[in-house]
Amino acid sequence: MNRKKELELYIHIPFCIRKCLYCDFLSFPANRKMQAEYMDQLRCEITSQGPWYADYLVTTVFIGGGTPSALDGEQITLLMQAVKKSFVLAEEAEITIEANPGTQLSQKLPLYRQAGINRLSLGLQSAVNAELRLLGRVHSFEDFLMGFQKARMAGFSNINVDLMSGIPGQTAESFKNTLRRVIMLKPEHISAYSLIVEEGTPYGDYYGSSSLTGEAGTGGAAAQNANALAMAGWPALMDEEEDRKIYHQTKAFLEESGYQRYEISNYARPGFACAHNIGYWTGKDYLGFGLGASSYVDGCRFANETDINRYLLLDFSAGDLESLHGRLHRLSRREQMEEFMFLGLRMTCGVSNVRFVQEFGVHIESIYGEIIRKLSEEGLLLQDGAAIRLSDWGMDVSNYVMSKFLLDVPDA
């Protein structure tokens, strides 16, 4: 029997209770009518594409957003029924749903388990309620504790907790307190990200150039922003030194507590690394469903319609996939090499020399030899003969390192 090609599925739920102040994701509050219309259309999209992927075995499903748990549990049940009807799922497929602790999870969690969802990702961000309020979150730490307990009672034995550092007014000590309180619960996985202030968000509007340029209080517009924030009672953004302190503190504290860092911002107990995310970083094919969802299949990238009203008007029964996906972009050989390097280097195991040869038919040194040599001499890369990976310092300046692997040459 021929082995099926492997495929990951991402399903986007764009709805949330209230937009967080820092969020620039494709998400928004919606009434019950729009939610129902969207979920009907989403199921149609899934069932219409299933036949095109009959030769694939789905190894992971990730239901993200937005806030998928803002929906009724029954909607998630119907969604999973459509997935199972339309695709061949591996027996041990990892199936994740993102959930907000402030979305009345008690009655929904058992339905998730019955639907076949076996991994829960809880968006805590902070164990300090004052910090949660500054982020605009709709939950408290007490809500999270209740949700975590209910998840265990519902049978979830694979739970991720999302945490955020760099929150205005946060200190290294307050973040360590968050880590302590979370570790006491023994989740299987912890994602620890640093706040990024994005333009077009309330945080971007509040902090303006003082956050985007890192020049708070240096005069001009930055000084005006800082003064306005002070008058409004908003704390200043964390400085770079404190942010770096938290970054190193997090790694040391979590590793001492039995969590292995396997990617720049992700830690897991042995055997619980997120298979879905590893698929992204190692170039596995993935298919996205729903508003704005991205896909990468057979070397092609495409993304779904981002306007909710246009998305709802698409006729999937007539095979209206061109209107859904827009223009497809086939990655050149050079682009594939670039992605192989800067996605693979996110992982602590790095990129495999042997796999590079298998993928591209040439040795990695013939393409990146000079770059690798220079970065190794600078102490940013480590080599052991089988793989190339970031050093601890390389992790600190990973964006700089990865940018060096963008080839400024014609396709090889």
Side-chain angles (χ1 to χ4, degrees):
M1 180 182 294
N2 292 330
R3 183 181 179 185
K4 288 179 176 287
K5 293 178 287 187
E6 293 187 353
L7 181 69
E8 300 188 327
L9 303 183
Y10 172 77
I11 304 173
H12 189 65
I13 309 297
F15 308 122
C16 52
I17 304 300
R18 183 180 69 208
K19 190 87 167 177
C20 294
L21 299 176
Y22 59 89
C23 179
D24 72 334
F25 295 157
L26 181 52
S27 61
F28 46 84
N31 58 34
R32 295 287 184 183
K33 181 176 182 294
M34 176 172 281
Q35 290 180 1
E37 290 176 355
Y38 177 83
M39 295 305 292
D40 288 344
Q41 183 74 326
L42 180 59
R43 291 194 299 274
C44 287
E45 181 190 350
I46 291 170
T47 55
S48 70
Q49 293 204 53
W52 296 96
Y53 295 90
D55 292 335
Y56 284 82
L57 179 68
V58 173
T59 55
T60 70
V61 180
F62 196 102
I63 306 170
T67 306
S69 61
L71 296 172
D72 292 336
E74 290 78 7
Q75 287 281 19
I76 300 300
T77 298
L78 293 172
L79 177 67
M80 283 303 302
Q81 288 175 355
V83 170
K84 292 176 181 178
K85 179 181 178 181
S86 307
F87 291 87
V88 179
L89 268 63
E91 185 176 348
E92 301 297 325
E94 176 192 272
I95 305 177
T96 303
I97 188 168
E98 291 183 334
N100 186 307
T103 52
Q104 300 177 338
L105 290 175
S106 297
Q107 296 181 345
K108 300 173 184 178
L109 291 167
L111 293 178
Y112 295 167
R113 289 294 295 125
Q114 292 168 19
I117 297 170
N118 52 31
R119 184 173 184 271
L120 185 69
S121 182
L122 284 171
L124 170 59
Q125 314 312 339
S126 173
V128 181
N129 286 332
E131 293 176 3
L132 292 174
R133 288 192 292 271
L134 274 171
L135 292 173
R137 303 291 292 180
V138 298
H139 66 87
S140 65
F141 180 62
E142 291 71 27
D143 293 329
F144 165 78
L145 289 175
M146 180 67 72
F148 192 96
Q149 180 186 32
K150 294 292 185 180
R152 288 299 197 211
M153 292 172 64
F156 280 96
S157 58
N158 190 354
I159 300 177
N160 169 64
V161 178
D162 279 343
L163 300 178
M164 181 178 288
S165 62
I167 299 169
Q170 188 182 62
T171 64
E173 187 56 38
S174 72
F175 188 72
K176 192 169 185 179
N177 179 53
T178 287
L179 288 175
R180 288 194 192 100
R181 299 178 81 176
V182 169
I183 287 171
M184 288 176 64
L185 300 172
K186 299 183 179 179
E188 285 67 35
H189 190 284
I190 294 175
S191 297
Y193 300 101
S194 181
L195 171 70
I196 299 175
V197 177
E198 302 284 2
E199 293 186 69
T201 66
Y203 262 37
D205 293 338
Y206 275 119
Y207 289 101
S209 60
S210 65
S211 64
L212 300 175
T213 67
E215 298 176 351
T218 60
Q224 292 176 12
N225 286 326
N227 290 335
L229 288 171
M231 292 175 64
W234 279 59
L237 288 174
M238 182 178 293
D239 62 43
E240 186 175 346
E241 183 177 346
E242 189 79 351
D243 187 61
R244 286 295 90 194
K245 182 179 178 181
I246 286 179
Y247 182 80
H248 292 290
Q249 169 186 278
T250 300
K251 176 179 182 292
F253 193 66
L254 288 179
E255 289 183 348
E256 288 172 5
S257 303
Y259 293 86
Q260 299 173 350
R261 180 166 72 167
Y262 66 96
E263 190 268 345
I264 291 174
S265 302
N266 285 276
Y267 300 79
R269 293 187 180 279
F272 288 97
C274 178
H276 186 84
N277 286 341
I278 290 174
Y280 286 152
W281 301 319
T282 56
K284 183 177 287 189
D285 285 351
Y286 60 89
L287 185 62
F289 296 106
L291 197 67
S294 297
S295 301
Y296 175 69
V297 179
D298 289 337
C300 283
R301 291 205 179 282
F302 49 93
N304 284 4
E305 171 63 57
T306 59
D307 182 275
I308 182 69
N309 294 313
R310 288 198 291 266
Y311 176 80
L312 292 176
L313 291 175
L314 294 172
D315 184 2
F316 296 121
S317 64
D320 197 2
L321 296 183
E322 185 176 350
S323 297
L324 171 68
H325 293 153
R327 188 174 180 179
L328 275 63
H329 174 66
R330 179 167 291 281
L331 271 66
S332 67
R333 188 164 180 264
R334 173 179 60 81
E335 290 172 323
Q336 291 176 10
M337 288 181 177
E338 291 173 347
E339 291 205 359
F340 183 94
M341 296 303 295
F342 64 70
L343 290 177
L345 283 171
R346 292 189 62 90
M347 302 187 65
T348 56
C349 63
V351 295
S352 164
N353 296 333
V354 171
R355 187 159 171 260
F356 191 93
V357 174
Q358 292 172 339
E359 291 286 329
F360 304 111
V362 294
H363 289 285
I364 197 168
E365 291 83 4
S366 67
I367 305 296
Y368 289 110
E370 181 62 23
I371 297 169
I372 292 170
R373 181 191 64 77
K374 182 178 179 181
L375 293 174
S376 297
E377 289 176 353
E378 294 175 1
L380 299 171
L381 287 182
L382 300 174
Q383 302 180 67
D384 61 10
I388 300 163
R389 63 186 187 277
L390 295 175
S391 66
D392 286 343
W393 183 29
M395 286 278 184
D396 285 354
V397 292
S398 58
N399 288 340
Y400 165 79
V401 177
M402 292 171 189
S403 71
K404 297 300 180 182
F405 289 92
L406 299 177
L407 293 169
D408 189 20
V409 295
D411 282 329

